[in-house]
Amino acid sequence: MFSQLKAMPADPILGLSVKFKADNNPRKIDLGPGIYKDDSGHTPVLACVKVAEQFRLDKETSKTYLGSAGSVSFNEQITRLLLGDHKVIGENRIRTLSTPGGTGALRVAGELINKCTPGATIWVSNPTWANHQGVFTAAGLKVKTYPYYDYENKCLDFSGMLEALKRIPGDDVVLLHACCHNPSGMDLNPQQWQQVAEIASQIGFMPLVDIAYQGFGEGLDEDAYGLRLMADSVEQMIVCSSCSKNFGLYRERIGACSVIATSASAADIIYSVLLSVVRVNYSMPPAHGAAIVEAILNSTELSQQWHGELKVMRDRIAGMRQLLVEKLLANGITRDFSFITTQKGMFSFLGIDQHQVQRLQDEFSIYIVGSSRISVAAISPANVDYLTQSIAKVL
Ligand code: LMR
């Protein structure tokens, strides 16, 4: 049976880390995956997470099953983190399940959509996270794209996006990045969210909001602005969230899939379908990450500590955006890279070609996704000179 198989290419993002680990160059830099690093190049366990883990160790009395929805307390807390005190909570129109990471949430959402309309179309931004296409195709959906990023002018192609959204059939699903757009770093402003929400409400397509970087843009509430506005404007939507980045829980695999329905009874039906989707897939989500997050969110003190630690990460990345642009200039690069400081979250496109990306890897051991997406979160005062000197050489 296995002799039929053909080798698959390495994942465009995760494959880079494998190459990076095997590289012996002491100056190597991994700007591939979206992983936060501090100034010393380390991805720390947040101090609030350490406290929550100790709390869990002391208080946990059983490891019995939690069920396909995962922890009820986590699900309630994460719903509030996403939606604040939005009316859909009071109206009992939202159901949330813990999932294995944000990717798990997207896959569960994809399968739910496919149960409603087999082979439904989901529209994703061009460009989007490299794994969106694969996850939704694997769930049985057709994936199409709407314009989003203007590569030439390094800004949003908002008019192109609006024109495309106006033509999307009402039965389709539209994926929107809530904040810190992956891979471009270009976000919608509040007025633009308003326009998109109006189109969604007029046409009736269902928004699926992917929020994997809440707190890395401008703040926890600010980064949820678009998704909350969308929840004001449409009757049904899906939210897929991740705790990988904002709680630094990457390997614990904890995220959530939330569905807003037209009524409490419709939400109950959707919930039962979600449970069945999970049951035949991974049966139940892992518990550890959810337990950490709920311990933090259930404690005022730990929540405050977390907000502080998240702000440190957010501010450090913003600072690295400034430093990168300054150092590119200092290395005599005349091309305008100032757009990098206007973008949000972990990512930006450098806007260099594939040949230059490959040269950075082969000659300088600097690892960047082929699209020229860099993870600004991996830049530090210690590596920025080598990085910008190397970029200057390939330009
Ligand atoms: C990324 O885009 O780099 C992250 O979301 C990590 C991943 O799983 O791809």
Side-chain angles (χ1 to χ4, degrees):
M1 181 190 276
F2 297 146
S3 61
Q4 314 288 333
L5 291 176
K6 297 221 166 37
M8 295 289 286
D11 180 83
I13 297 173
L14 302 183
L16 278 181
S17 295
V18 176
K19 282 192 186 167
F20 175 80
K21 279 189 189 127
D23 190 328
N24 293 323
N25 184 345
R27 307 189 83 179
K28 64 183 178 177
I29 309 176
D30 186 4
L31 302 181
I35 302 170
Y36 177 79
K37 293 185 182 160
D38 62 19
D39 277 354
S40 63
H42 180 60
T43 304
V45 180
L46 299 186
C48 61
V49 166
K50 280 282 186 200
V51 177
E53 280 187 313
Q54 189 58 51
F55 175 81
R56 171 168 165 74
L57 202 63
D58 296 341
K59 297 280 178 230
E60 190 180 46
T61 54
S62 173
K63 291 205 183 279
T64 186
Y65 290 128
L66 280 177
S68 298
S71 157
V72 174
S73 173
F74 168 85
N75 295 342
E76 282 173 8
Q77 289 291 355
I78 216 71
T79 305
R80 295 225 171 258
L81 187 67
L82 294 167
L83 282 149
D85 56 2
H86 198 278
K87 64 176 183 195
V88 296
I89 300 175
E91 291 168 359
N92 193 22
R93 287 169 43 215
I94 183 161
R95 298 290 177 273
T96 296
L97 277 81
S98 325
T99 55
T103 309
L106 291 164
R107 179 64 188 259
V108 168
E111 295 207 12
L112 172 72
I113 296 163
N114 198 48
K115 288 243 184 234
C116 303
T117 312
T121 298
I122 183 162
W123 296 77
V124 297
S125 59
N126 179 18
T128 195
W129 179 45
N131 207 23
H132 276 149
Q133 170 93 33
V135 168
F136 294 124
T137 306
L141 306 184
K142 286 192 232 17
V143 182
K144 293 186 180 169
T145 61
Y146 58 84
Y148 189 82
Y149 185 67
D150 177 343
Y151 287 88
E152 205 177 307
N153 298 306
K154 318 272 189 288
C155 61
L156 212 58
D157 176 8
F158 188 62
S159 57
M161 176 182 181
L162 277 193
E163 282 318 303
L165 293 186
K166 283 179 191 160
R167 292 195 301 271
I168 287 179
D171 294 338
D172 290 0
V173 181
V174 175
L175 186 143
L176 299 158
H177 296 234
C179 61
C180 308
H181 183 267
N182 180 2
S184 73
M186 289 300 312
D187 286 343
L188 300 180
N189 65 31
Q191 294 74 29
Q192 290 166 331
W193 272 111
Q194 183 67 45
Q195 283 172 272
V196 171
E198 278 165 21
I199 296 175
S201 126
Q202 278 157 18
I203 292 185
F205 61 68
M206 194 177 60
L208 186 164
V209 180
D210 187 355
I211 177 160
Y213 296 87
Q214 188 179 3
F216 276 90
E218 296 186 1
L220 286 165
D221 288 327
E222 293 87 339
D223 292 352
Y225 176 86
L227 98 81
R228 293 176 190 177
L229 183 78
M230 198 58 75
D232 291 342
S233 314
V234 299
E235 289 194 309
Q236 308 181 81
M237 74 185 242
I238 302 176
V239 183
C240 295
S241 56
S242 169
C243 302
S244 296
K245 329 281 171 166
N246 52 9
F247 287 89
L249 289 172
Y250 307 87
R251 66 174 62 164
E252 301 300 351
R253 310 310 300 140
I254 177 64
C257 178
S258 307
V259 183
I260 298 173
T262 50
S263 65
S265 55
D268 284 337
I269 295 172
I270 295 167
Y271 186 64
S272 71
V273 177
L274 285 168
L275 295 179
S276 74
V277 162
V278 168
R279 180 64 172 144
V280 296
N281 190 336
Y282 51 85
S283 186
M284 297 170 208
H288 187 68
I292 294 167
V293 172
E294 79 186 55
I296 294 171
L297 296 180
N298 277 323
S299 151
T300 312
E301 202 181 315
L302 284 183
S303 288
Q304 274 168 4
Q305 189 177 3
W306 174 56
H307 292 173
E309 291 186 86
L310 188 54
K311 182 172 181 333
V312 168
M313 294 196 281
R314 176 170 68 242
D315 290 350
R316 201 196 82 80
I317 296 174
M320 287 307 110
R321 289 184 174 278
Q322 295 285 351
L323 185 64
L324 174 63
V325 173
E326 279 164 33
K327 293 283 184 178
L328 285 165
L329 259 178
N331 276 291
I333 296 171
T334 50
R335 191 192 285 194
D336 182 12
F337 280 98
S338 59
F339 63 90
I340 290 174
T341 60
T342 66
Q343 297 170 341
K344 296 272 162 26
M346 291 200 183
F347 306 114
S348 280
F349 283 126
L350 268 187
I352 59 175
D353 65 33
Q354 282 204 350
H355 174 68
Q356 291 164 324
V357 169
Q358 197 58 47
R359 278 192 62 200
L360 281 176
Q361 191 179 126
D362 297 343
E363 296 173 30
F364 303 97
S365 301
I366 294 172
Y367 291 80
I368 291 177
V369 179
S371 60
S372 90
R373 185 195 82 166
I374 53 168
S375 174
V376 182
I379 299 174
S380 71
N383 66 22
V384 72
D385 284 317
Y386 177 65
L387 171 64
T388 49
Q389 285 154 14
S390 307
I391 293 171
K393 285 183 190 144
V394 303
L395 274 179

